[in-house]
Amino acid sequence: MRYLKLYARFIPIYFKSKTEHGFGFYMDFVGFALTHVVSYMVIWALMSRFQTINGWNMYEVMLIYTLNMLTYAVAAVFFFFQMNDVEEDVHKGSFDSLLVKPINPFIHMIIRSFGHFFLGDIVIAIIMLGFCFSRLDIHPGFGTYVSFVFMLLGAVLVQASFIVITGSMCFWIVRARSIMNVVIFGIRGFADYPISIYGKFLRIILTFIIPYGFVNYYPSHLILGKEGGSLFAPWLPYATPIVGLLLFFVAYRVWNAGLNKYQGTGS
């Protein structure tokens, strides 16, 4: 709780320092957000031609994309630039400064920065989520809404876990950004569309090995009321919170293993 209060005080100070840059600060939001506008246009063009892909219509595919975008943006606010800073600190030998503070280095890593770049993504994702719900005429009951919120929280943990795991590789190879790019901007891209359109081997990878399927595909089955299809098991749409917690635990263990590996500058 003390750390949350500290972070709550830090955020207004952070924004005050960033808004001093004026126009550049606001363009951070616009620049990041415009890439998603282009992606939605691609989905519209693709689905206007083919109508459905493997039983998923345009607005269902947009929902899939939106959930991936939203959960990643929320996770990235708290972890993406923070893990990039860790890599730079390890490379320059200044990471020791996190280790001498009277605070858990993992928590210190999170609260010393804030990924404001992704707030525009979150705004667009929330708007598109409402748009998709309206077009799909989704009116879930209270219980389904509660379950969906837990699915979203679990999906955020999945996204955060891969940021932390790939970022923590810098303790072993110093420059780990290439690994982060492959996993987060490469493999995660497969989750922009229903994973049922891929072959069984890739679906196994995206479900049981690099489980990005739990970010959006399986939660979408819950909110859309879809059944069967290419599900490996009927309970998978409900497993996202558990998968998120387990994966985040693994990510934290990888981070701690990296800390034990780190030897500092010796100065």
Side-chain angles (χ1 to χ4, degrees):
M1 184 61 68
R2 178 169 65 91
Y3 298 140
L4 289 176
K5 291 180 179 179
L6 181 64
Y7 197 43
R9 295 182 62 183
F10 161 76
I11 293 175
I13 298 173
Y14 175 85
F15 274 102
K16 185 176 180 179
S17 66
K18 290 297 182 181
T19 51
E20 291 180 355
H21 296 88
F23 180 75
F25 171 77
Y26 296 105
M27 285 305 296
D28 289 341
F29 297 97
V30 177
F32 269 59
L34 282 178
T35 60
H36 297 291
V37 173
V38 173
S39 295
Y40 280 115
M41 292 177 65
V42 170
I43 293 174
W44 174 81
L46 176 67
M47 299 305 297
S48 294
R49 179 176 178 82
F50 296 103
Q51 302 304 313
T52 64
I53 53 172
N54 202 27
W56 295 75
N57 65 37
M58 178 192 298
Y59 300 111
E60 290 173 339
V61 173
M62 284 186 175
L63 178 64
I64 287 278
Y65 180 88
T66 300
L67 291 177
N68 192 12
M69 171 186 172
L70 174 62
T71 55
Y72 174 72
V74 173
V77 165
F78 301 102
F79 292 98
F80 183 76
F81 289 111
Q82 292 83 335
M83 290 305 304
N84 276 336
D85 290 343
V86 168
E87 178 179 310
E88 288 300 318
D89 288 341
V90 171
H91 178 68
K92 296 176 181 177
S94 57
F95 182 74
D96 300 62
S97 61
L98 266 73
L99 303 178
V100 298
K101 301 293 194 303
I103 183 175
N104 185 312
F106 188 75
I107 296 176
H108 189 188
M109 177 270 295
I110 295 172
I111 67 175
R112 70 173 180 165
S113 186
F114 188 81
H116 72 276
F117 292 81
F118 297 96
L119 295 180
D121 293 11
I122 294 174
V123 171
I124 290 179
I126 292 174
I127 293 172
M128 289 303 300
L129 198 62
F131 173 75
C132 292
F133 274 36
S134 174
R135 289 292 184 174
L136 293 168
D137 196 28
I138 298 175
H139 302 288
F142 177 76
T144 303
Y145 264 124
V146 172
S147 298
F148 190 61
V149 169
F150 278 103
M151 299 300 121
L152 289 179
L153 293 175
V156 169
L157 288 178
V158 171
Q159 302 273 24
S161 297
F162 285 117
I163 296 174
V164 173
I165 290 172
T166 56
S168 296
M169 293 298 103
C170 68
F171 292 116
W172 287 274
I173 60 176
V174 183
R175 287 301 187 185
R177 198 158 299 171
S178 58
I179 298 176
M180 182 179 287
N181 290 339
V182 169
V183 175
I184 295 176
F185 301 113
I187 297 176
R188 188 176 67 87
F190 286 106
D192 284 339
Y193 294 88
I195 66 173
S196 58
I197 68 175
Y198 307 122
K200 186 174 182 179
F201 177 73
L202 188 53
R203 284 188 282 119
I204 290 174
I205 291 176
L206 294 173
T207 299
F208 301 109
I209 301 175
I210 307 176
Y212 274 122
F214 290 97
V215 164
N216 51 8
Y217 179 70
Y218 292 114
S220 293
H221 276 75
L222 177 67
I223 200 68
L224 294 172
K226 286 182 173 287
E227 297 180 357
S230 58
L231 292 177
F232 290 104
W235 49 265
L236 284 176
Y238 300 91
T240 296
I242 297 174
V243 172
L245 287 171
L246 290 175
L247 196 58
F248 196 77
F249 173 76
V250 171
Y252 185 66
R253 293 296 298 268
V254 172
W255 164 271
N256 281 331
L259 284 184
N260 294 332
K261 175 72 174 179
Y262 179 72
Q263 296 180 350
T265 61
S267 59

